[in-house]
């Protein structure tokens, strides 16, 4: 099992910045992909940014050049630096991981609200 705990959500004005953190615990050596999804009200959950095992990032087109995903191995955390935030970035952000056996794990989610 892998446990994921998000932190860092909150309220920010448009154009501002916020950093989300995801702390992983448990069988983290089984993780192949780790990163972030989000779900806005009335919409499907969508990929934001993920890191492959070799640290290759994948970003949604809507966040490229504004968001940066990174890994801190010593702290067993994944960070999502979000800059130039827009009102459409408002959503619940979920930490996500997938194991080599294709098992998926989700955190509880953290709310990000961007005001105009």
């Amino acid at each position: 099992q892998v446990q994921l705990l998000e932190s860092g959500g909150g309220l920010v004005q448009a154009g501002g910045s916020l950093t989300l953190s995801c702390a992983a615990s448990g069988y983290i050596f089984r993780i192949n992909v780790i990163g972030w999804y989000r779900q806005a009200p009335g919409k499907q959950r969508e990929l934001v940014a993920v890191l492959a095992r070799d640290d290759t990032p994948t970003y949604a087109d809507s966040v490229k050049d504004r968001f940066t995903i990174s890994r801190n191995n010593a702290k067993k955390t994944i960070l999502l630096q979000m800059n130039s935030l827009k009102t459409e970035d408002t959503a619940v952000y979920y930490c996500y991981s997938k194991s080599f056996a294709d098992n998926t794990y989700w955190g509880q989610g953290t709310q990000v609200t961007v005001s105009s």
Side-chain angles (χ1 to χ4, degrees):
Q1 287 284 355
V2 173
Q3 293 81 42
L4 304 170
L5 182 63
E6 305 98 335
S7 62
L11 174 65
V12 64
Q13 285 191 328
S17 298
L18 209 57
T19 301
L20 303 183
S21 178
C22 172
S25 60
Y27 295 132
I28 58 175
F29 61 91
R30 294 180 178 176
I31 294 175
N32 184 28
V33 176
I34 190 165
W36 296 90
Y37 278 67
R38 68 187 180 187
Q39 187 165 19
K43 294 188 177 181
Q44 287 190 330
R45 195 171 295 190
E46 62 176 5
L47 180 145
V48 176
V50 294
L51 275 178
R53 187 78 174 183
D54 63 359
D55 283 342
T56 300
T58 299
Y59 294 97
D61 288 342
S62 60
V63 306
K64 276 180 183 177
D65 301 322
R66 298 189 299 122
F67 291 11
T68 302
I69 188 171
S70 61
R71 186 197 308 267
N72 183 323
N73 286 322
K75 296 184 178 180
K76 299 176 184 177
T77 59
I78 298 293
L79 300 178
L80 184 68
Q81 175 67 43
M82 305 185 293
N83 298 325
S84 302
L85 282 162
K86 305 175 181 180
T87 55
E88 50 262 46
D89 294 318
T90 294
V92 178
Y93 284 69
Y94 295 91
C95 190
Y96 155 89
S97 70
K98 186 173 73 170
S99 72
F100 287 101
D102 282 343
N103 297 313
T104 58
Y105 303 93
W106 296 92
Q108 296 279 51
T110 185
Q111 177 70 45
V112 172
T113 302
V114 184
S115 63
S116 57

